[in-house]
Amino acid sequence: MKLSQISKMVATDRRGIETVHTVEDARASAKRKLPKMIWDFIDGGADGELAIEANRSSLNEVSLRSKFLTDISNRDISMEIFGRRSRMPFILSPAGIATLAHPEGELAVAKAAEKMGAIFCVSTASGYTMEEIAEVSQERLWFQLYLWKSEEVVFSLIDRAKRAGYEALVVTVDVPVVGKRERDLTNGMSLPVRIRPKNALNTLRKPGWLMGLLTGPEITFSNLTGIAQGDDASSIGEYTDRELIDPTRTWDDLGLIRKRWAGPLLVKGIMTPEDSIRAVDAGADGVIVSNHGGRQMSFVPGVASVFEAIVEAVGDRAQVFLDGGVRRGEDIVKARALGATAACGGRAWYWGLAAGGQKGVERILSILSADIDRSLALIGERQFENICSTNLYR
Ligand SMILES: Cc1cc2nc3c(=O)[nH]c(=O)nc-3n(C[C@H](O)[C@H](O)[C@H](O)COP(=O)(O)O)c2cc1C
């Protein structure tokens, strides 16, 4: 196939973003554009993938009450998060190596988030370095940290995040080992990405993606260059297990991080009231209720079903965020009604990125914003901030 033909196909794909009206549309578009092994890496979860379904069904079980003939003019979907107003009550969750979906990766995501007024939480495992990402955005950025084996690596990442102007640090605690992602094992998904005989034909059928791979940056954990150089043949899971995650970590380590990081500190991956209290006792300002989008284990409940108990345990000692299964703006309103400061989501923006680069992520964020605004009108509320448990059916 000639290069001009490939460019034409990519251009046709780009025009398609106007046909995306829902997160599910973006998911379908991403599925069409990505090789199966990349699609499965994003879409899939651990083991039987029941937790992905549980996140959705727990949100589906929440119903909102409508009040009609109230004045719903001048609606406002903004929210105060750690003392500063955010135009959108949605945080783009950390999701590694966005360059897998699009060569502009996190740069496109950061620009889209800036345009739409949403906070982007950059993953430790980002495809571009945290400094490169901070360079293209004036909007609020958070940095997500894994507790790597080497304390030196952990502290150097924290110091770099501070220097680059990141506002908050998010420590992910739900990866004591990497979950078993069965689809990745079946597909032979690895880093660096390898086109193997079993995925070659399917990859060749996605010329737009292939061109991005050939012309874009190397797909790697850029923040860890020089630290995480590994064995080509290893799966991502094995590689991370072996080199990067420290199974000896305890809550005392969070105390050390608290001492080093002066800004807001959040803990991501909390699923029980007991752990939420431990996190806050260790100095966290925020708790992200999350099961890693079902990517770590299958045997956990949906986030919305455990959320209120955690909000109650935390009280006013920290802000609590809901992460997982958010596919529509109404899910974000439901999260607020359950007591969340805001909601977070990973696959929604990742699919948007695959569907249309920066424009695709902007599209997703504008769909979610419009959904939140419409939901406010439909339940008879003017301000997202005022949503609370009285908006729930009990
Ligand atoms: C492709 C992908 C990569 C991810 N990488 C990370 C990561 O590097 N760090 C992290 O804390 N969470 C990571 N997550 C989990 C997200 O932060 C978030 O918890 C999850 O996507 C929420 O579920 P949702 O996709 O249904 O919104 C990743 C998720 C996806 C889909």
Side-chain angles (χ1 to χ4, degrees), residues 93-96 123 144 146 172 268 292-293 295 323-325 327 345-347:
S93 302
S123 164
Q144 175 265 328
Y146 281 120
T172 298
K268 175 172 180 280
H292 218 103
R295 297 169 73 80
D323 170 75
R327 303 289 180 264
R347 292 186 184 84

Side-chain angles (χ1 to χ4, degrees), residues 54-64 304-305 334 392-393:
N55 282 346
R56 279 303 312 145
S57 55
S58 68
L59 278 164
N60 285 342
E61 271 164 31
V62 178
S63 305
L64 298 168
S305 69
K334 288 177 181 179
L392 291 170
Y393 268 106

Side-chain angles (χ1 to χ4, degrees), residues 284-299:
D285 306 294
V287 165
I288 303 182
V289 178
S290 171
N291 55 29
H292 218 103
R295 297 169 73 80
Q296 277 297 96
M297 50 220 148
S298 183
F299 49 72

Side-chain angles (χ1 to χ4, degrees), residues 38 41-44 52 55-56 90 92-97 100 121-126 144-146 170-175 181 221 268 288-295 323-327 344-351:
I38 306 295
F41 170 72
I42 300 163
D43 191 66
I52 299 180
N55 282 346
R56 279 303 312 145
F90 180 71
L92 288 82
S93 302
I97 27 180
L100 284 172
C121 182
V122 172
S123 164
T124 301
S126 54
Q144 175 265 328
L145 185 74
Y146 281 120
V170 174
V171 178
T172 298
V173 293
D174 59 4
V175 191
R181 313 234 173 102
F221 298 133
K268 175 172 180 280
I288 303 182
V289 178
S290 171
N291 55 29
H292 218 103
R295 297 169 73 80
D323 170 75
V326 172
R327 303 289 180 264
C344 318
R347 292 186 184 84
W349 69 252
Y350 219 117
W351 289 326

Side-chain angles (χ1 to χ4, degrees), residues 28-48:
S29 169
K31 188 171 189 179
R32 285 193 300 275
K33 291 181 180 191
L34 297 172
K36 185 174 183 309
M37 66 172 170
I38 306 295
W39 157 257
D40 278 336
F41 170 72
I42 300 163
D43 191 66
D47 307 303

Side-chain angles (χ1 to χ4, degrees), residues 55 93 164 203 235 271 322 356 360 370 391:
N55 282 346
S93 302
T203 305
S235 74
M271 284 296 284
L322 182 145
N391 296 101

Side-chain angles (χ1 to χ4, degrees), residues 228-299:
Q229 278 159 3
D231 172 4
D232 281 14
S234 63
S235 74
I236 291 178
E238 278 173 24
Y239 176 77
T240 315
D241 243 355
R242 195 181 61 238
E243 301 290 334
L244 304 172
I245 306 297
D246 183 348
T248 69
R249 295 289 183 186
T250 67
W251 288 105
D252 292 342
D253 294 291
L254 194 73
L256 295 178
I257 288 174
R258 174 71 287 180
K259 285 203 185 106
R260 200 155 180 123
W261 180 264
L265 177 68
L266 295 93
V267 176
K268 175 172 180 280
I270 297 295
M271 284 296 284
T272 65
E274 306 88 89
D275 269 355
S276 71
I277 292 168
R278 287 184 192 111
V280 175
D281 285 348
D285 306 294
V287 165
I288 303 182
V289 178
S290 171
N291 55 29
H292 218 103
R295 297 169 73 80
Q296 277 297 96
M297 50 220 148
S298 183
F299 49 72

